[in-house]
Amino acid sequence: MTDNTANTASDGPMLAADGTTLKSSLNRALRRQKLRALMLIAPLLIFVLLTFIAPIADMLFRSVENQIVSETLPRTTAALADWDATGDTAPPEPVFKDLYEDMFIAKERKLHTRLGSRLNYELTGVSSLFRKSGRKVEDMGEVYQDQFEDLNKFWKKGENWNVLMGTSSWLAAQNAWDKASKTAQPTLEIKPEIAALLPQTAQMFTLFAEFVQVDENDNLAKEDPWAIVYSALYDDLTAGANVAGYSGEGAAELQEAAAAVSSFETVDFTAAFTKIDKDWASVDVWRTLQVYSPEFTAGYFLNAVDMQKTIDGPEMRPENEQLYLKLFVRTLFMSLVITGSCILLGYPVGFILANLPARTANLLMILVLLPFWTSLLVRTSAWKVMLQQQGVVNDTLVWLGVVADDSRLALINNQTGTIIAMTHILLPFMILPLYSVMKTIPPSYLRAAKSLGATNWTAFWRVYFPQSVPGIGAGSILVFILSIGYYITPEIVGGTTGTFISNRIAYHISSSLNWGLAAALGAILLAVVLGLYWAYDRIVGIDNVKLGG
Amino acid sequence: MNTSSNDAAFVEFERVQKSYDGEALVVKDLNLSLPKGEFLTMLGPSGSGKTTCLMMLAGFETATHGDIRLDGKSINNIPPHKRGIGMVFQNYALFPHMTVAENLSFPLEVRKIGKSEREEKVKRALDMVQMGDFAGRRPAQLSGGQQQRIALSRALVFEPELVLMDEPLGALDKQLRETLQFEITNLAHDLGITTVYVTHDQTEALTMSDRVAVFDDGRIQQLAPPDQLYEAPENSFVAQFIGENNTLEGVVKEINNDRALVQLDGGGLIDAKPVNVSKVGERTRVSIRPERVEYNKDRLSADAHTLNAEVLEFIYMGDIFRTRLRVAGRDDFVIKTRNAPDQVRLKPGQQIEIGWLAEDCRALDA
Ligand SMILES: Nc1ncnc2c1ncn2[C@@H]1O[C@H](COP(=O)(O)OP(=O)(O)OP(=O)(O)O)[C@@H](O)[C@H]1O
Ligand SMILES: [Mg+2]
């Protein structure tokens, strides 16, 4: 007496009326439907991509992005690549010279303080070091500038430099340019023979010209070159540039200078920087610079788990600087406790709601939903009033004689406060899925269990409870994920021991402006949530999550 | 099973009343007793209180008044799980998160029966309903009929002496229903179980039961074996409710012992057996089954009263002919005749005379 479904499977794929396989003609029929469906959801899809996926992608990028170091100090970071950081001596003089040039340009562009704050996350003191050095770096190379200018007045004037460096066609255009005309300045074109003869000078002058012409929009003819242009010229000339072979404008002055440079007073950049701050002589600063010179770094992530980069690879920070791991553990632990208390408090409520007559259930449901209609801030602040030492709860306990007046409970500005307030705030998110799942469990199951001989408890535990698990799952995921990223409530009632990782993220975003670290913390949080979600799927099965019938 | 105490009441309702809201009585003065091994069906229109009675017996509702006894002991204060009553629900109520085998082993587990014995009993119970191959399936993977079988074997697996079934076949199609009706009665009789079965399908009630209790308005209108119920309804509700029935209204004109002469409202005199009438002048409703009406004068006794009738409609139904007549001013008088070779096929418009044996026509309450 078994229901036998006769299976008349024939060999080979089924054919549709026109001879194509049934499968392909079905696919064809479905494709247009799918396309139409896709077009209907396209606006939302784009919206979600722009407002959800893109920010997350940006955050993930920020958590590893580190271009600021190599962009601000391109020469220094390149030179540092060869430096052996394991030793205990600062890098050699050429690196200091590169630092001088980078610093000079950064200072002109006002970028050095930004880099200083960035590196200060990794090594405290770098910020002030950079600010101080930036102020003094301008004077450092003036030794060469003064000597060139003393040698010949020719070197003093910006226009002479233009004549020396620029092509004649550009020069004509530049001289004809009028700032008032509001047109763009003709971009400097270096003479090819000069570029070959004085490569460093040409490079520095180009940078200078670009800065003046584009960043400042000043007339290049009226500006005197940077000190680093002079030091570059000194370098080119001492490097043995064959000025004798040059016959263009300024050839005489060049030859004169080439003859004179050998007797020039030189600058010791190592000493100069060390004079500004002796930190430049210590390897720590240089190690930090070297470690953070790549364009992408794991540094924020290491920071976010209380580790730091050292020359020996990542290692834990000293005990007294550790913060984030503890916060992560606390966040997870407290979220679990909150989820647990939501289950304990919400389950009976859901059960009662699901088993009451519709009218009463609706009334109670309004009470459950009531908190949604009140501002979150108001509710949280109300808890502050309720839970403080002289608050309603403590007063009642004292009045009842449960606690003595002089040993009132500390219920706020600690973990207890956060747990109480957040359980209250997140409770509806547990009750609603529980209710909607329980609503679909017919009372006849309980009756059946009892008629089969189960006591009330056994019937509940073996028959009702397993069927309500999807509701618990859905509620728990909701509450847990919401609480893991909660910010306002712990901020208000959490004090120092009851705050979450999200409060730290908010701090880094709005106060310390360390967005990279905030992004790394956020990314870890995201990974933890996804990991837990995955674990939940493996253990319970995500199909077992039900938000309703 | 033990049949020695066959006539001693096994289940007894004594003056049981039930009200849900304190205003209306859903069950009014229910008295019922059934012996061990009996298959009793509660039949009645929707809302007549059948489920309520069953729930009181199972312990899910408490009687507001009266006593319910099981095997001589009052069970009013015994909680449902201690009553040891098997129950089959209308929607089967198989636990969806357990396999078929787990469903069946549940009542054994809560009775703390050992594993090997449990497995053996489960297997036996499944084989009993020919579902041995489905032990590992979830209820959702079974068809309605299969689920019904599992529900039945789950109610029987712990060997209860009393099984209650509330419209267990209500959701199944006709053919499957008939097969299962047969299976259920066979099982119940083979195992000697006392069964209380609720249905509002009268064919089901008549074919399956030892006795049928017809419910209406919170009371048992008649409690009798199927044949009596059909042939000797005790009041006009039962006559109307069970099977097809022709009703004619009138006043008692003469009455003696087992014969009453009734003057019909629509004109005409007929003979009837007095059931609920005792005095001349009382109003009555006479009830006659369609197949007991005779229009062949030769087959009626000479002194029988007859009525004139006009054929309105003739319906050929294969095994029988169903003919609708106008009799005593009513258009809904139906007669059924067997499709025999010598049977006359009446034509619409034809005038005939009809009559019947006085004992087939029952004069009931008005
Ligand atoms: N839990 C309840 N609360 C209030 N009234 C109820 C309840 N259950 C049933 N009733 C009422 O009691 C009356 C009898 O109901 P019951 O379920 O016993 O009828 P039934 O004979 O089983 O009908 P059906 O054939 O439709 O199942 C109905 O009028 C119904 O409205
Ligand atoms: Mg019912």
Side-chain angles (χ1 to χ4, degrees):
Chain A
M1 262 294 350
T2 55
D3 289 20
N4 196 1
T5 47
N7 198 351
T8 55
S10 57
D11 299 332
M14 292 269 247
L15 295 186
D18 57 359
T20 54
T21 61
L22 193 55
K23 205 162 210 155
S24 72
S25 67
L26 176 70
N27 281 344
R28 197 162 351 104
L30 288 181
R31 200 170 306 138
R32 193 179 295 156
Q33 274 181 21
K34 278 187 198 152
L35 208 66
R36 191 174 312 147
L38 196 69
M39 270 158 65
L40 279 174
I41 61 159
L44 177 65
L45 201 67
I46 293 168
F47 180 79
V48 167
L49 275 176
L50 287 181
T51 59
F52 185 71
I53 310 284
I56 287 181
D58 182 62
M59 177 190 80
L60 290 176
F61 179 69
R62 266 175 202 279
S63 64
V64 293
E65 183 242 22
N66 190 42
Q67 283 155 344
I68 181 169
V69 181
S70 52
E71 266 173 14
T72 317
L73 306 176
R75 280 160 278 268
T76 318
T77 48
L80 267 181
D82 301 330
W83 175 61
D84 172 21
T86 53
D88 53 1
T89 50
E93 172 70 10
V95 180
F96 275 95
K97 177 157 178 300
D98 288 330
L99 178 66
Y100 161 68
E101 288 170 357
D102 286 338
M103 200 64 124
F104 191 97
I105 296 166
K107 152 79 184 166
E108 290 298 330
R109 294 196 167 139
K110 305 193 174 61
L111 294 176
H112 64 300
T113 47
R114 248 183 54 196
L115 178 64
S117 340
R118 159 71 187 96
L119 288 174
N120 204 52
Y121 301 144
E122 317 300 343
L123 186 69
T124 33
V126 178
S127 180
S128 66
L129 176 66
F130 268 52
R131 219 171 312 120
K132 211 184 321 174
S133 310
R135 247 181 284 126
K136 307 233 168 113
V137 80
E138 281 191 320
D139 307 338
M140 225 181 262
E142 279 184 354
V143 175
Y144 295 114
Q145 184 173 3
D146 290 347
Q147 291 180 93
F148 276 110
E149 286 175 6
D150 288 347
L151 186 70
N152 192 327
K153 287 242 165 42
F154 173 86
W155 299 112
K156 220 169 191 161
K157 289 254 173 177
E159 28 194 315
N160 295 340
W161 278 91
N162 287 352
V163 173
L164 172 67
M165 307 296 289
T167 60
S168 53
S169 59
W170 168 77
L171 203 58
Q174 177 71 24
N175 287 336
W177 180 75
D178 179 12
K179 188 171 182 180
S181 74
K182 296 234 157 45
T183 53
Q185 259 182 85
T187 312
L188 166 74
E189 289 164 25
I190 300 277
K191 276 188 249 173
E193 57 269 36
I194 286 287
L197 185 70
L198 308 169
Q200 295 186 54
T201 317
Q203 193 195 3
M204 286 304 163
F205 193 78
T206 312
L207 281 174
F208 161 71
E210 191 184 295
F211 177 76
V212 172
Q213 291 188 311
V214 179
D215 292 17
E216 309 274 278
N217 197 19
D218 285 334
N219 193 335
L220 189 57
K222 302 217 169 84
E223 295 293 315
D224 297 339
W226 288 339
I228 52 168
V229 178
Y230 294 94
S231 65
L233 178 62
Y234 172 79
D235 287 344
D236 279 333
L237 293 179
T238 46
N242 182 18
V243 286
Y246 174 70
S247 58
E249 295 88 346
E253 287 83 356
L254 258 185
Q255 274 157 23
E256 176 195 14
V261 283
S262 55
S263 58
F264 269 19
E265 182 196 338
T266 59
V267 179
D268 179 355
F269 287 104
T270 314
F273 271 104
T274 317
K275 203 175 135 223
I276 294 172
D277 196 309
K278 62 179 183 331
D279 277 356
W280 284 118
S282 87
V283 283
D284 286 347
V285 177
W286 290 104
R287 275 182 189 158
T288 311
L289 269 178
Q290 191 194 43
V291 165
Y292 287 95
S293 32
E295 288 191 359
F296 295 98
T297 176
Y300 292 121
F301 277 99
L302 290 175
N303 231 330
V305 293
D306 288 333
M307 296 176 86
Q308 58 190 357
K309 265 187 163 179
T310 64
I311 41 168
D312 309 322
E315 65 180 36
M316 292 306 290
R317 281 179 187 278
E319 200 78 33
N320 57 351
E321 287 177 25
Q322 294 189 5
L323 170 65
Y324 299 111
L325 276 185
K326 218 172 65 197
L327 266 178
F328 271 117
V329 171
R330 184 200 287 166
T331 305
L332 289 179
F333 169 74
M334 285 176 63
S335 298
L336 275 179
V337 173
I338 291 163
T339 311
S341 22
C342 279
I343 295 175
L344 285 182
L345 294 179
Y347 198 93
V349 179
F351 184 83
I352 288 175
L353 280 177
N355 288 294
L356 277 180
R359 268 179 60 95
T360 338
N362 284 342
L363 199 74
L364 283 180
M365 186 54 93
I366 289 176
L367 294 183
V368 169
L369 293 177
L370 205 61
F372 276 141
W373 305 336
T374 332
S375 154
L376 176 65
L377 211 59
V378 172
R379 274 181 288 153
T380 310
S381 311
W383 277 114
K384 218 165 165 109
V385 177
M386 299 265 291
L387 295 175
Q388 56 187 288
Q389 298 253 303
Q390 304 299 326
V392 183
V393 173
N394 264 312
D395 281 351
T396 315
L397 290 177
V398 168
W399 181 74
L400 288 173
V402 180
V403 297
D405 199 9
D406 50 0
S407 59
R408 285 169 175 254
L409 303 174
L411 296 173
I412 195 103
N413 296 333
N414 55 19
Q415 298 199 0
T416 322
T418 306
I419 290 172
I420 294 177
M422 284 194 44
T423 302
H424 164 243
I425 283 161
L426 295 177
L427 201 51
F429 293 99
M430 181 63 80
I431 294 177
L432 288 178
L434 272 177
Y435 167 72
S436 58
V437 167
M438 287 171 168
K439 193 84 195 145
T440 63
I441 306 176
S444 65
Y445 287 135
L446 272 182
R447 291 187 161 184
K450 285 185 210 164
S451 82
L452 293 171
T455 57
N456 284 341
W457 169 252
T458 316
F460 167 77
W461 182 246
R462 295 271 321 266
V463 174
Y464 194 88
F465 182 78
Q467 295 185 63
S468 66
V469 163
I472 298 183
S476 300
I477 287 194
L478 270 180
V479 170
F480 188 80
I481 290 180
L482 278 175
S483 70
I484 221 177
Y486 231 69
Y487 156 67
I488 285 256
T489 306
E491 185 73 27
I492 297 177
V493 300
T496 46
T497 56
T499 50
F500 281 10
I501 194 73
S502 40
N503 299 93
R504 206 67 205 164
I505 296 180
Y507 165 78
H508 282 306
I509 288 197
S510 57
S511 302
S512 84
L513 300 183
N514 190 353
W515 286 20
L517 181 56
L521 290 170
I524 292 179
L525 205 55
L526 182 67
V528 167
V529 170
L530 290 178
L532 287 170
Y533 187 81
W534 175 82
Y536 184 92
D537 186 32
R538 290 300 299 270
I539 299 165
V540 185
I542 220 68
D543 328 332
N544 263 332
V545 169
K546 257 199 224 162
L547 286 170
Chain B
M1 273 212 138
N2 163 4
T3 47
S4 65
S5 59
N6 222 5
D7 25 12
F10 181 57
V11 178
E12 255 184 309
F13 284 76
E14 194 183 304
R15 320 215 57 185
V16 171
Q17 293 186 339
K18 170 73 186 173
S19 169
Y20 283 107
D21 50 9
E23 285 168 18
L25 281 175
V26 172
V27 174
K28 306 167 185 163
D29 193 28
L30 180 77
N31 294 287
L32 178 71
S33 91
L34 62 154
K36 209 164 211 165
E38 187 175 58
F39 196 115
L40 178 107
T41 299
M42 294 180 174
L43 175 68
S46 190
S48 55
K50 307 179 296 286
T51 302
T52 308
C53 284
L54 217 57
M55 288 302 162
M56 286 193 289
L57 188 49
F60 298 121
E61 297 291 350
T62 45
T64 27
H65 181 267
D67 205 9
I68 302 174
R69 282 191 292 273
L70 186 65
D71 214 3
K73 291 185 289 288
S74 170
I75 54 168
N76 281 11
N77 293 318
I78 301 179
H81 67 271
K82 294 217 177 108
R83 295 194 182 186
I85 298 176
M87 190 147 183
V88 180
F89 291 80
Q90 179 164 12
N91 60 1
Y92 319 135
L94 295 175
F95 307 140
H97 58 292
M98 299 183 187
T99 63
V100 165
E102 285 164 350
N103 262 286
L104 261 73
S105 114
F106 181 83
L108 305 175
E109 277 170 47
V110 300
R111 286 180 170 73
K112 310 244 174 346
I113 290 174
K115 190 164 191 287
S116 56
E117 193 184 347
R118 229 159 53 204
E119 279 169 2
E120 188 196 326
K121 285 192 175 188
V122 167
K123 190 176 162 348
R124 193 147 20 98
L126 281 177
D127 287 341
M128 190 169 71
V129 291
Q130 290 95 36
M131 291 289 292
D133 299 338
F134 295 82
R137 293 230 198 147
R138 291 278 163 109
Q141 299 166 318
L142 300 176
S143 73
Q146 291 168 336
Q147 291 185 26
Q148 182 52 58
R149 287 204 175 86
I150 300 301
L152 182 64
S153 66
R154 187 180 68 176
L156 297 176
V157 70
F158 61 95
E159 292 161 11
E161 293 189 47
L162 175 62
V163 174
L164 312 181
M165 305 191 196
D166 190 359
E167 301 192 32
L169 307 179
L172 304 178
D173 64 68
K174 188 165 173 287
Q175 213 164 359
L176 194 58
R177 234 153 79 180
E178 279 165 10
T179 335
L180 280 168
Q181 283 168 11
F182 179 70
E183 281 182 31
I184 291 176
T185 26
N186 276 358
L187 261 176
H189 282 138
D190 291 352
L191 300 175
I193 303 169
T194 315
T195 312
V196 179
Y197 190 98
V198 166
T199 181
H200 50 221
D201 177 340
Q202 44 156 312
T203 332
E204 203 165 287
L206 294 181
T207 52
M208 294 175 80
S209 333
D210 296 330
R211 282 196 298 165
V212 179
V214 180
F215 269 67
D216 187 42
D217 194 26
R219 284 177 209 279
I220 293 182
Q221 301 290 340
Q222 187 171 356
L223 174 61
D227 55 342
Q228 270 188 40
L229 210 57
Y230 186 78
E231 283 165 28
E234 276 168 10
N235 56 37
S236 38
F237 173 80
V238 177
Q240 279 293 3
F241 193 71
I242 309 285
E244 206 166 5
N245 180 59
N246 293 307
T247 308
L248 298 168
E249 290 184 33
V251 181
V252 179
K253 223 179 155 203
E254 263 174 43
I255 192 159
N256 58 30
N257 296 344
D258 58 347
R259 190 63 70 97
L261 191 62
V262 178
Q263 170 75 56
L264 297 180
D265 293 350
L269 276 174
I270 53 162
D271 298 316
K273 178 184 162 107
V275 180
N276 287 339
V277 288
S278 51
K279 295 195 296 286
V280 170
E282 237 179 309
R283 283 202 63 80
T284 182
R285 248 182 241 224
V286 297
S287 136
I288 172 83
R289 297 287 176 198
E291 67 276 11
R292 296 293 168 96
V293 179
E294 193 55 72
Y295 56 89
N296 189 341
K297 277 210 100 171
D298 308 343
R299 300 214 196 120
L300 289 169
S301 64
D303 62 340
H305 286 94
T306 57
L307 293 172
N308 290 325
E310 181 191 347
V311 178
L312 295 175
E313 198 178 6
F314 175 85
I315 303 168
Y316 176 84
M317 294 179 74
D319 54 345
I320 56 162
F321 305 143
R322 193 167 181 279
T323 315
R324 192 158 64 83
L325 309 174
R326 177 178 296 135
V327 175
R330 302 185 62 130
D331 288 346
D332 56 358
F333 198 97
V334 171
I335 63 174
K336 283 184 191 161
T337 43
R338 215 158 49 80
N339 183 358
D342 59 339
Q343 193 62 265
V344 189
R345 298 189 185 192
L346 298 168
K347 283 181 234 13
Q350 204 175 336
Q351 296 288 337
I352 54 170
E353 260 181 72
I354 55 167
W356 44 75
L357 299 177
E359 55 267 34
D360 286 339
C361 178
R362 298 170 68 82
L364 304 169
D365 52 312

